[in-house]
Structure formats: C-alpha cells, structure tokens
Amino acid sequence: MSIHRLLVAKVVAETHDAHSIEFEVPAESAEQFTYKPGQFLTIRVPSDRTGSVARCYSLCSAPHDGGPLRVAVKRTANGYASNWLCDNATPGMEIDVLAPAGIFTPKSLDTDMLLFAGGSGVTPIMSILRSVLERGTGAVTLIYANRDAQSVIFASALAELCREHPDRLAVIHWLESVQGLPSAANLATLAAPYAGREVFVCGPGPFMDAVSEAMTSLGKGRREVHIEKFRSLPRNPFEVEQAQEEAEEKVAVAEAEDLPAPATDNGTVTVEIDGSTQELVWPAQKKLLEVMLEAGIDAPYSCREGACSACACRIVDGEVELAHNEVLDQEDLDDGIILACQSMRRTPSVRITYE
C-alpha cells in the first residue's frame, strides 16, 4: 500500500452542509490514480487524540474527462472526519490519501441504468452517470432522495446534464419535506417503468434497504442490484502501515539472529499486478495480502477486515476461502472477485490478477 500526499486544488460549497474537494495529482503519480467510475479514495484526517482517522469518500469526478480527482464530503452528526474536512480543507493544503479502490463500478457504459441515490450517496452515482452519458450509449434514470431542495448536492450540474442529454437522462427528485420518507412501495412505483435496467444504489442504510425491497417486488434478483456498502473502517490503514513497517523490522532482526523460519506447505500464488507477474510461496496459514506485502508487492488495501473492498482482486485459477466478507455479494463472488486481506488458500496453487 502506497500513501500519497496530494495537494488540495479547490474546495466548493455544494450545499450548506456538503463540500466537494478537488485534488491535484502529480504527474509521477498519475498511473496510480487511474480509476473507474464509482470508486472511492481513503483519506487521512489529522486528529489531536489519535494522530489521525481514516475515512472512505467516493469520487464524484469522472475518469474520462482528465480533470482533477474530486470527492464530495457531507457533514454528519458527530462525524469527526466529515466536519473536519468541511471546516478545514482549503486550497494549498496537503492531505494523505490511498489510491482509488472499490468495486461499485459498471462493467459497461453502454447499458441502460436505473440509479438510486440518497443524500451524499449521489457522489459515486454522479461519477457513473456522467461516464455513461459522455463515454457510453446507455440511457440513465436517477431517483434521488433528499431532505429538502436545499440539500440536493449537484443540483445545478444535474439540471445541466438533463439539458445536454434530454433523450438519455431523466432525474426524479424525492424530497422528504414535501413527500415524506420514501417507502419501498413509493420507490417501486417510481422504478417500475425502468425495472429491466441495471441498478446501482448508494445512500443511507434505511434508504438502500427500501430500494432493495422495492426492486425485489419488481422481480429483480439480488445479483441485478448493485449496492455500495460503506462501513467505518475497523482499523486506520495509515497507522497500520507504520505498524507493518515496525513488524518488518522485527522480522529482519529475527532473521539476522538466525531464528527458525515458520514452516510452509509449499503452496504458491501467481500475482499479476501493475504489468508484472510474480510467483510467491503461500503458506496455508497466511492470508493473501500478508503474503504479497511480505514479498514487497505494493498491493492495495485499506481496512484489512473485509469491510471496504479496497483490496479486491480477481482469482483466475485455483480456490480460496474468505475468512470474512461484508462487501462482496454473490455476483461478485461468481465473477471471481475476492478480498486479498481475507483470502486463505484452498488449492496447492492459485493465480490472481489486479488487471
């Protein structure tokens, strides 16, 4: 995992309680910040009490336009990181981030889509929507729920996109101040004309539950509804990186003292990453991410607890078992997506790719 320090280029107040933050990526880091619509950044926020906290924020920028990386941050009650960023992020500031990650991404931009967003959940949805309209051929309908008209993030940008793509984009706003909380029945009624489309959902938990129930009532299988799941990171990956370095120093000392190495069963994993291929010994008692990090491979990760998908990769050959999984659904697993931080080898050899 590489930690990158990026310069804040611009901060925009999108609403009274939400800001978008643009980052300038140095030319030498451009390759590491190639991303797909719907992915997120993990950001380090300083803290007087703990040194720092880490939070994941979706990218609202679209990769096709070559513009700056941009995330949207909405204040949450008692949310230390979101409030700190809204209050303190200013142009010229440097912030530590991890490279883009996540699997909440469409396989094709030529597919008709039904998108659901609740509040700041519009952030990755905006990236997907713009990418489909400007680089694909699909039609898009967005059902977007907010407390009131003043809470609608990207209201003017969405209106402009509707004017530019009147035959391909429809935005349906649901305002709690006018219509009350959206129920599964309400959402099913709105979604019915578009039920045959691929579905992406992001927002507060109760909203996503209501959407899931609505789509089930319309005959959509769970594999046809993509849900972005954000949970609080159980570990701070920026602090874990420091602890990992200290652990590696201890290992080096042990090797220098000629202490016995742990036994292995001679299993192997072939790793394709960043244009290179390496074969590594994979002891059965170790998880895939540990094996790669110990070999010096700069594999992506964040929480190391199976809760964020930053370490997602694809298994090409062999079998693994996930010790824990909170983010991959059955469709992801059927497509061969695994979490490196939770993968235990179950066959003598395994081949995985990040390509």
Side-chain angles (χ1 to χ4, degrees):
M1 179 189 74
S2 293
I3 298 173
H4 303 266
R5 181 156 291 182
L6 299 185
L7 186 72
V8 174
K10 187 178 181 181
V11 178
V12 177
E14 301 290 349
T15 67
H16 69 282
D17 61 355
H19 292 69
S20 61
I21 303 172
E22 293 186 359
F23 294 100
E24 182 178 306
V25 178
E28 61 271 20
S29 301
E31 185 175 347
Q32 290 95 318
F33 282 88
T34 300
Y35 66 100
K36 298 176 182 178
Q39 290 192 307
F40 62 85
L41 292 181
T42 304
I43 296 178
R44 182 180 196 168
V45 176
S47 167
D48 293 335
R49 290 189 300 171
T50 62
S52 71
V53 298
R55 295 292 185 270
C56 299
Y57 292 103
S58 294
L59 289 156
C60 53
S61 51
H64 64 269
D65 62 13
L69 292 177
R70 187 167 70 255
V71 300
V73 180
K74 183 177 182 179
R75 294 181 188 273
T76 58
N78 302 316
Y80 173 78
S82 63
N83 283 285
W84 190 95
L85 287 167
C86 287
D87 289 335
N88 295 281
T90 55
M93 173 184 291
E94 291 185 327
I95 294 180
D96 289 338
V97 307
L98 304 184
I103 57 172
F104 186 67
T105 61
K107 293 182 176 63
S108 170
L109 300 180
D110 299 323
T111 302
D112 291 347
M113 294 189 186
L114 173 59
L115 309 178
F116 289 89
S120 60
V122 74
T123 306
I125 295 296
M126 191 68 171
S127 180
I128 294 171
L129 181 153
R130 289 184 56 211
S131 297
V132 171
L133 293 176
E134 298 174 28
R135 283 296 183 270
T137 59
V140 180
T141 295
L142 167 62
I143 298 174
Y144 186 14
N146 282 282
R147 289 193 306 270
D148 50 44
Q150 290 70 43
S151 301
V152 180
I153 304 173
F154 308 131
S156 60
L158 286 169
E160 179 62 25
L161 286 169
C162 286
R163 287 191 291 270
E164 293 175 357
H165 305 277
D167 299 326
R168 296 177 58 208
L169 174 62
V171 178
I172 301 171
H173 289 283
W174 182 283
L175 301 180
E176 181 183 341
S177 61
V178 177
Q179 297 146 293
L181 287 171
S183 67
N186 297 145
L187 295 171
T189 298
L190 294 176
Y194 317 101
R197 299 182 177 186
E198 188 168 7
V199 180
F200 285 81
V201 188
C202 188
F207 173 77
M208 294 195 293
D209 291 343
V211 172
S212 295
E213 184 180 341
M215 299 316 298
T216 298
S217 73
L218 294 174
K220 298 289 282 188
R222 176 63 190 86
R223 292 181 57 185
E224 301 174 279
V225 181
H226 309 278
I227 297 177
E228 178 67 313
K229 301 173 183 176
F230 277 123
R231 294 177 171 85
S232 296
L233 298 181
R235 296 189 194 181
N236 182 336
F238 299 98
E239 306 299 334
V240 168
E241 178 77 359
Q242 181 178 351
Q244 177 72 22
E245 291 174 357
E246 293 171 355
E248 289 172 355
E249 290 178 3
K250 292 178 181 178
V251 170
V253 170
E255 292 175 346
E257 295 175 353
D258 201 25
L259 297 178
T264 72
D265 59 4
N266 298 319
T268 62
V269 58
T270 301
V271 181
E272 298 176 16
I273 185 171
D274 295 334
S276 66
T277 301
Q278 297 186 53
E279 183 176 293
L280 311 173
V281 174
W282 186 355
Q285 74 273 18
K286 288 196 173 183
K287 294 175 180 174
L288 174 57
L289 181 62
E290 297 175 63
V291 172
M292 292 190 289
L293 294 178
E294 290 177 2
I297 292 177
D298 189 20
Y301 69 88
S302 186
C303 74
R304 299 186 76 156
E305 299 284 351
C308 76
S309 82
C311 66
C313 55
R314 187 182 302 277
I315 188 165
V316 178
D317 191 35
E319 296 180 9
V320 302
E321 180 179 328
L322 297 185
H324 185 67
N325 168 33
E326 296 185 33
V327 290
L328 301 183
D329 58 26
Q330 192 57 50
E331 181 183 20
D332 300 320
L333 298 172
D334 291 345
D335 285 343
I337 304 299
I338 61 172
L339 301 174
C341 75
Q342 296 297 313
S343 292
M344 307 292 290
R345 181 174 55 79
R346 290 295 175 260
T347 52
S349 63
V350 173
R351 188 180 189 94
I352 63 107
T353 180
Y354 284 88
E355 306 305 324

